[in-house]
Amino acid sequence: MLSGFSKKLKADYEPHMSEDGRVALRNLRAYFNPGKGKQSFLSDVRNNVAFHSLREIVASAYEALPPMDDLGDYLHRCIGNTLYYTTEILQYEALKQLAGVGDGAEALRLMQIDAHAQTNNFNTAIYSFVVAFCERYLKDALAALPDETETFEVRSFDDMRLSFFSELPTPQGAS
């Protein structure tokens, strides 16, 4: 959205978007296009760890591990009993390096903060775009909508927990 349609979005819709939407769009552009030779933390993670592991980062992550460290790979004939933990350890090491911190949990926290901020920017910008689009092309339908709002409270991400093990629902009638 920010690269392929950026010129059209900027010329045709941005002037008609809300101020919050324009600010969010500017924040997205600034975050994901920080300047020549630089990348945002989320772009670094995406391009170098999550989808495309660079040889240099993997090698550096291996070098950061203690020589006698248990990497935690457990192999078994059944795939369900096999655990490949080495990759996860290397990704934590790579995240630490990309974030410039010495702790994997801190690197994950920084990644979560960035992802949360950019998700908010994206949602605000896209909502503002949709309103501008509807005002341009769907005026009658927009005018016919009832003027009502629904507000609900969303818990903080820090307050949410998912257990590692969970009970699967039992189909009705089964025991």
Side-chain angles (χ1 to χ4, degrees):
M1 183 182 108
L2 293 176
S3 56
F5 299 103
S6 188
K7 288 180 184 176
K8 184 154 184 64
L9 180 64
K10 193 170 193 165
D12 293 350
Y13 291 97
E14 197 169 338
H16 306 285
M17 291 169 57
S18 68
E19 180 61 25
D20 286 347
R22 289 192 302 269
V23 168
L25 201 50
R26 283 194 297 268
N27 289 343
L28 281 168
R29 286 185 182 123
Y31 182 83
F32 286 106
N33 300 307
K36 295 233 182 236
K38 296 180 183 177
Q39 282 192 342
S40 66
F41 181 43
L42 292 177
S43 295
D44 270 346
V45 170
R46 180 199 180 278
N47 295 334
N48 301 319
V49 179
F51 297 105
H52 316 283
S53 295
L54 291 181
R55 183 184 189 289
E56 299 82 22
I57 289 183
V58 173
S60 179
Y62 264 118
E63 290 170 11
L65 297 173
M68 299 307 289
D69 207 16
D70 178 12
L71 297 179
D73 286 344
Y74 302 98
L75 306 177
H76 192 271
R77 288 184 311 244
C78 298
I79 199 162
N81 294 330
T82 298
L83 174 66
Y84 297 108
Y85 192 55
T86 303
T87 304
E88 194 170 329
I89 291 171
L90 292 174
Q91 286 181 326
Y92 285 130
E93 286 298 322
L95 281 176
K96 288 172 15 182
Q97 292 174 21
L98 291 173
V101 297
D103 178 49
E106 178 64 10
L108 285 173
R109 190 183 75 75
L110 293 173
M111 188 171 71
Q112 185 268 326
I113 288 169
D114 279 12
H116 182 262
Q118 299 319 312
T119 299
N120 283 338
N121 282 327
F122 181 78
N123 289 340
T124 301
I126 205 73
Y127 176 76
S128 184
F129 163 77
V130 167
V131 169
F133 181 91
C134 290
E135 286 174 346
R136 179 180 290 178
Y137 296 107
L138 303 169
K139 282 184 185 181
D140 294 337
L142 207 54
L145 289 175
D147 189 21
E148 60 186 48
T149 358
E150 182 180 354
T151 305
F152 55 93
E153 191 172 330
V154 178
R155 292 186 315 178
S156 160
F157 185 79
D158 291 334
D159 295 336
M160 293 185 211
R161 298 285 183 263
L162 295 175
S163 62
F164 185 76
F165 296 101
S166 59
E167 293 289 325
L168 295 175
T170 305
Q172 287 183 336
S175 56

